[in-house]
Amino acid sequence: MDSIAEQQRQAYEDMERLEQAVVDLMLQKLTKHRYRLIREQKISNLLDQIQARSKLITELNLDESGLRAKEIHMMGTGFDSFYAQLDKVRAHHRRNPELSVQPPELDYIKYTRNPEEADEKRRVLEARLRDTTNVENVEIDDTELETFVSEGDMDKLETMFSGDERFGRYVDLNEQHKLYINLKGTSTISYVEYLNVCTRFGDIPAAAKDNLYVEYLRSLATYFESYFARSMPLFDLPKAQREADEAFEKEWAERKENEMDVELFCEPCQRTFEKETTYKAHMSSRKHQKTVDRLAKSTCAKSESRVDHAKRIARLEHKVQCYVRALGSKLSDTRANVQRRQALTEDERMHELHDVDEI
């Protein structure tokens, strides 16, 4: 096992190489969306590795076991510990005389190569080889053309996104559209129309914001969180969530209860009331009490206060709206793409789905 000092030295060296790899990737000028997306995924992975090395260095510096301090003390007593380590290295190589050592720099060369330029060079070499051999299907040794994009990365992209998402260029809210048109207070609208109103929560009557509406909001939030992880790997989702919660709590605290436009909601009966008197009458009714007694046998259900129910909904609405703002023009781009595809013929649509080389 390497000494503590050697582990720290190796961790620092790895961090420098990882940081340089991030810089090399960021400096590449890429035009294809899929290559830009894979680059972001690679950078995210490299940053995770940098954090892991940094955590290791911090833990070694804390020296809870005391081994680091002991090792440093031994270094100051002469060359005995140095020669002891040297003997171990020599013994290791005597036992493994054919062991080859690859310079670590070679593992990072691929981050300096542009995949679009490599594709072009590969096409030129293949064309030359076909002309000289008169063989249609030729294979070239493209080891020197290896980039940060592997076949596995491309295969992963194929399974990561739906057809409508087009490798993360657009969003796919078809499932949420189905939930929306089944909500109370909404009408049956087309998918294109839905993309215009999906976050206009004020258009939905307060009385219609029941548990089905809450599930609709959760479906939107869950989808956007998944979309961020897949198509925007460098987006700091935890930070966005913290900022959204802090902004919401501040906004909610500034409201006065008599100014709130909130519904009177009974959780056990799943009913919303417009008037305070009607709500109070319902809460003291025999029918309500029977429902509460029936649910109490299987759960600790209770009537949710109008403020608590409204806050739960308002928090979800605020979160979804924050997510949509973080998406930038994705919704409008999706709407434009859906309208464009509706004008295509069936053959044109199928051709577009299979033609991914230019994405």
Side-chain angles (χ1 to χ4, degrees):
M1 180 179 178
D2 291 334
S3 65
I4 303 296
E6 173 58 22
Q7 291 181 54
Q8 287 186 303
R9 186 207 65 76
Q10 184 63 54
Y12 278 117
E13 182 180 346
D14 289 346
M15 285 179 62
E16 289 181 0
R17 296 189 189 281
L18 291 167
E19 290 170 355
Q20 184 59 51
V22 171
V23 173
D24 291 335
L25 288 175
M26 294 293 290
L27 290 176
Q28 292 189 25
K29 296 181 179 180
L30 302 175
T31 59
K32 292 185 178 180
H33 173 78
R34 55 178 176 167
Y35 286 159
R36 292 198 301 267
L37 178 55
I38 292 175
R39 174 174 62 182
E40 288 193 11
Q41 293 172 347
K42 295 294 183 180
I43 291 175
S44 177
N45 180 263
L46 291 171
L47 292 175
D48 289 341
Q49 293 183 57
I50 291 173
Q51 288 184 333
R53 301 300 195 283
S54 180
K55 182 180 179 181
L56 173 62
I57 291 172
T58 301
E59 291 174 350
L60 292 176
N61 281 331
L62 290 175
D63 195 25
E64 294 181 355
S65 64
L67 293 176
R68 181 173 178 271
K70 183 179 178 181
E71 186 177 294
I72 293 175
H73 174 73
M74 291 179 63
M75 290 180 183
T77 59
F79 289 95
D80 292 343
S81 60
F82 169 78
Y83 285 115
Q85 291 290 333
L86 181 59
D87 288 341
K88 291 181 181 179
V89 173
R90 286 172 173 170
H92 174 75
H93 285 281
R94 280 196 298 268
R95 290 193 300 269
N96 305 276
E98 297 180 356
L99 182 65
S100 61
V101 179
Q102 177 174 303
E105 295 86 353
L106 297 180
D107 294 330
Y108 294 90
I109 290 179
K110 59 185 178 182
Y111 296 112
T112 66
R113 295 174 180 151
N114 187 307
E116 294 177 6
E117 294 176 358
D119 288 345
E120 182 60 28
K121 291 179 181 178
R122 189 177 291 107
R123 282 192 289 268
V124 171
L125 290 174
E126 289 176 349
R128 289 177 180 174
L129 190 58
R130 280 194 296 269
D131 291 341
T132 57
T133 61
N134 293 322
V135 177
E136 186 63 27
N137 297 321
V138 296
E139 293 184 2
I140 62 171
D141 182 8
D142 58 358
T143 305
E144 294 185 358
L145 297 178
E146 181 185 1
T147 69
F148 65 89
V149 179
S150 66
E151 291 185 6
D153 294 327
M154 300 303 295
D155 293 340
K156 185 179 178 181
L157 281 187
E158 294 286 348
T159 59
M160 189 179 294
F161 298 99
S162 68
D164 287 346
E165 288 174 328
R166 298 292 282 173
F167 299 105
R169 296 180 68 185
Y170 311 110
V171 296
D172 181 0
L173 297 178
N174 283 287
E175 289 299 322
Q176 289 70 31
H177 174 227
K178 294 177 183 177
L179 294 175
Y180 177 86
I181 61 179
N182 287 304
L183 294 175
K184 295 178 182 178
T186 63
S187 57
T188 302
I189 58 177
S190 68
Y191 183 52
V192 173
E193 293 174 307
Y194 168 72
L195 292 173
N196 268 323
V197 303
C198 62
T199 56
R200 294 181 188 173
F201 303 127
D203 294 348
I204 300 176
K209 294 184 177 182
D210 53 10
N211 276 3
L212 286 177
Y213 179 70
V214 173
E215 290 305 312
Y216 165 70
L217 292 176
R218 286 176 176 164
S219 177
L220 278 173
T222 300
Y223 172 79
F224 287 138
E225 288 166 2
S226 168
Y227 185 82
F228 285 134
R230 292 179 290 119
S231 68
M232 301 168 62
L234 296 181
F235 178 72
D236 194 343
L237 180 60
K239 180 182 177 181
Q241 290 173 328
R242 287 194 304 270
E243 291 177 348
D245 284 339
E246 291 171 1
F248 171 77
E249 290 294 343
K250 182 179 180 181
E251 179 183 330
W252 186 265
E254 292 173 352
R255 296 183 186 182
K256 295 180 180 179
E257 188 169 336
N258 60 358
E259 295 176 350
M260 293 182 188
D261 180 20
V262 296
E263 67 274 22
L264 305 172
F265 182 71
C266 175
E267 180 76 20
C269 300
Q270 292 292 292
R271 291 186 60 187
T272 303
F273 302 87
E274 295 291 344
K275 297 181 180 180
E276 182 85 23
T277 54
T278 309
Y279 176 73
K280 289 181 177 179
H282 168 77
M283 296 298 288
S284 59
S285 67
R286 181 177 299 178
K287 182 178 180 181
H288 167 75
Q289 192 57 48
K290 285 183 178 180
T291 303
V292 172
D293 293 340
R294 176 172 56 81
L295 293 175
K297 296 179 182 180
S298 58
T299 182
C300 297
K302 63 178 181 179
S303 296
E304 185 177 26
S305 73
R306 62 193 182 104
V307 175
D308 290 341
H309 181 68
K311 185 175 182 180
R312 180 161 62 108
I313 289 177
R315 182 187 297 277
L316 283 169
E317 289 176 342
H318 180 80
K319 178 187 288 187
V320 171
Q321 288 171 337
C322 288
Y323 287 166
V324 170
R325 285 195 294 271
L327 287 172
S329 62
K330 292 287 187 181
L331 273 180
S332 59
D333 291 345
T334 300
R335 185 168 59 252
N337 182 61
V338 172
Q339 292 173 324
R340 180 188 62 81
R341 294 188 72 241
Q342 287 176 346
L344 299 177
T345 65
E346 185 63 25
D347 289 342
E348 288 173 333
R349 290 197 193 100
M350 293 303 297
H351 177 73
E352 186 177 82
L353 285 175
H354 290 90
D355 186 16
V356 299
D357 289 339
E358 299 305 318
I359 298 178

